Amino acid sequence: MKKLSKWSLLLVVITAINQAEASQVALRDTIQVDSAFTDLLLPENPIGISGADGSISIDLGQGKSLFLWGDSFLGPIKDNIRQQPSKFILGNTATLMSKDSIRSLYSGNFDQPSSFIDVKEEEKGKYWYWPGDAIIYKEKLLVFMAKYSKKANENGPFAFQYEGCDFLLLDPVNYNILDRSPFIASSNPIHYGHAILRKDNVLYIYGSKADNKNFRSELHVMRARIKGNRLEKLEYWNGSNWVKKADKSQAVKGINSMVSEQFSVRELNGKIVLINQDRYQIPGKILSYTADNFQGPFAQEKLLYQINEPELKSDSLFTYNAMFHPQIRRNNSVLVSYNVNTYSERLWWKKASVYRPRFIWIPIDSIFN
């Protein structure tokens, strides 16, 4: 049975979130940056998750959301300086957010922590999971996890390679793994599983296909039927029809920006909404697109936010993978996030802000009008 950290701390209620101070940004007077929300999810607590990326949220219903993180730091922060003892988890962690509490989730304990969702026992030490998207279906948590390994004879923060994607079923109460199966092989150039939508028992599964040499990146979509603990009848969108051959997949139409490795596709106000941060721009722009159908075409490109990180150059920062959290709202705005990281490895263990996501409130009307 998975041993989870039992750390749980009452932090703030939603009314406190609503009262948090927020700064106005230049792009739209009504868009607000909310640093208090980062502190809410990743508090400066001795044994909780205090630094991460990924920022994928799953609506669990009843006011609860599960945030899935990638590589994570544990441990206290004081005056934006990471304190000792601090720990690092290669892989993934999670935060369970309810109306009045926050709970960090990872396996093991603070002294010997490990991933929230781990690879098979025989794969540990060679592979790790970074999170994809997830959804609740028939009292089970359906999760896609991308598998990675370290590149041989290479060092540094980017010495890793994609090894495919697994499909897992978890118990949504204790997060035990109920079933696991390979879903996409590493030979498939499309990294499916970064965003999913469901209609009845059919999953629409989105993925990114990148050509980094030519600075091109596309959005693709496939679909599969849920049957028991498996996905069957896999089909791929070829631009005009659903086909059975994976190599016939074509890019979803109507997207002018370069699709990031991870992104969000969610339903809002009867529309399919894509939130994308242009893959090759630094510090980046966050854009939205809408569609009437799961397979597109997308239209209504909107520039929601021009990212502005004042210490971008001094801290060697880069930003990536904007995410959409429409189940979390304040007045007439929804929550959007983007991830921040640094090329300076020495800063990871010193300056906490170089590896903590940013959250902003986007007016719903700005997506559709």
Side-chain angles (χ1 to χ4, degrees):
M1 177 177 292
K2 178 179 290 293
K3 295 182 179 179
L4 298 175
S5 165
K6 298 301 182 181
W7 173 74
S8 182
L9 178 64
L10 293 178
L11 290 167
V12 294
V13 294
I14 293 301
T15 53
I17 299 173
N18 293 345
Q19 294 168 359
E21 292 185 358
S23 60
Q24 299 292 326
V25 297
L27 183 63
R28 294 178 187 266
D29 290 340
T30 52
I31 293 179
Q32 296 180 329
V33 178
D34 192 347
S35 58
F37 205 91
T38 305
D39 294 336
L40 167 71
L41 291 177
L42 302 171
E44 301 175 359
N45 180 275
I47 61 172
I49 303 164
S50 56
D53 68 354
S55 312
I56 305 163
S57 72
I58 298 93
D59 185 2
L60 301 180
Q62 299 180 332
K64 295 181 180 180
S65 291
L66 184 69
F67 279 79
L68 297 178
W69 312 109
D71 300 340
S72 302
F73 283 95
L74 312 179
I77 298 169
K78 183 178 181 180
D79 298 329
N80 199 29
I81 299 172
R82 193 164 295 284
Q83 306 293 303
Q84 293 300 325
S86 289
K87 302 290 183 178
F88 178 75
I89 296 176
L90 173 64
N92 62 88
T93 63
T95 296
L96 179 61
M97 171 185 151
S98 62
K99 293 180 179 179
D100 58 2
S101 67
I102 294 294
R103 182 184 176 195
S104 288
L105 301 176
Y106 53 89
S107 296
N109 54 46
F110 179 79
D111 292 326
Q112 292 184 310
S114 58
S115 282
F116 171 59
I117 303 174
D118 220 333
V119 295
K120 294 179 179 179
E121 191 65 33
E122 61 269 23
E123 295 178 330
K124 292 180 181 179
K126 183 178 181 181
Y127 302 109
W128 67 86
Y129 280 145
W130 278 335
D133 205 0
I135 195 171
I136 291 287
Y137 178 69
K138 291 188 176 180
E139 299 182 348
K140 294 178 182 177
L141 185 61
L142 282 58
V143 188
F144 290 92
M145 300 297 287
K147 187 186 295 185
Y148 282 83
S149 67
K150 189 181 184 304
K151 287 184 177 179
N153 304 317
E154 288 191 29
N155 295 309
F158 303 106
F160 55 81
Q161 59 193 2
Y162 179 74
E163 298 285 355
C165 179
D166 287 353
F167 175 64
L168 293 84
L169 275 69
L170 273 62
D171 184 319
V173 176
N174 55 26
Y175 305 108
N176 289 337
I177 297 175
L178 304 176
D179 199 81
R180 178 191 343 234
S181 58
F183 180 65
I184 295 294
S186 59
S187 58
N188 192 318
I190 304 168
H191 295 182
Y192 288 107
H194 289 321
I196 55 176
L197 291 175
R198 180 182 66 84
K199 183 177 181 180
D200 300 324
N201 71 329
V202 177
L203 280 186
Y204 292 84
I205 307 160
Y206 298 85
S208 57
K209 180 182 180 181
D211 176 1
N212 292 324
K213 291 183 179 180
N214 294 302
F215 300 101
R216 301 291 301 173
S217 185
E218 304 170 340
L219 179 71
H220 288 244
V221 62
M222 60 177 293
R223 67 183 184 183
R225 295 186 180 276
I226 308 169
K227 186 173 182 180
N229 294 346
R230 293 290 184 269
L231 297 178
E232 61 176 28
K233 297 185 178 179
L234 276 58
E235 295 180 308
Y236 306 83
W237 183 248
N238 73 353
S240 57
N241 296 291
W242 294 101
V243 297
K244 295 181 179 180
K245 293 185 177 180
D247 60 358
K248 299 299 182 182
S249 178
Q250 294 293 320
V252 175
K253 297 176 182 177
I255 303 166
N256 300 316
S257 56
M258 296 299 102
V259 175
S260 52
E261 178 64 14
Q262 291 182 300
F263 47 85
S264 289
V265 182
R266 295 288 188 259
E267 293 186 77
L268 181 65
N269 290 3
K271 294 281 189 177
I272 310 300
V273 178
L274 164 68
I275 299 294
N276 178 53
Q277 181 178 340
D278 194 291
R279 189 182 188 111
Y280 299 110
Q281 290 187 359
I282 298 176
K285 298 177 179 179
I286 300 177
L287 304 108
S288 67
Y289 301 83
T290 62
D292 293 319
N293 300 304
F294 294 102
Q295 68 273 16
F298 282 91
Q300 280 192 303
E301 179 183 281
K302 303 285 186 179
L303 174 58
L304 298 182
Y305 187 68
Q306 171 64 63
I307 295 172
N308 176 26
E309 288 291 329
E311 297 173 318
L312 185 80
K313 292 184 178 180
S314 61
D315 287 343
S316 301
L317 301 179
F318 58 97
T319 68
Y320 53 106
N321 296 354
M323 291 292 169
F324 191 34
H325 316 283
Q327 77 276 18
I328 303 173
R329 304 188 187 188
R330 185 176 71 181
N331 300 324
N332 295 316
S333 296
V334 293
L335 196 66
V336 173
S337 63
Y338 64 92
N339 296 306
V340 175
N341 206 334
T342 178
Y343 293 104
S344 175
E345 295 182 53
R346 67 177 181 82
L347 283 182
W348 283 339
W349 292 93
K350 293 183 178 181
K351 192 172 183 179
S353 59
V354 302
Y355 195 60
R356 283 164 66 87
R358 315 299 195 241
F359 289 90
I360 53 180
W361 294 101
I362 302 291
I364 294 175
D365 288 345
S366 67
I367 297 173
F368 298 105
N369 298 327

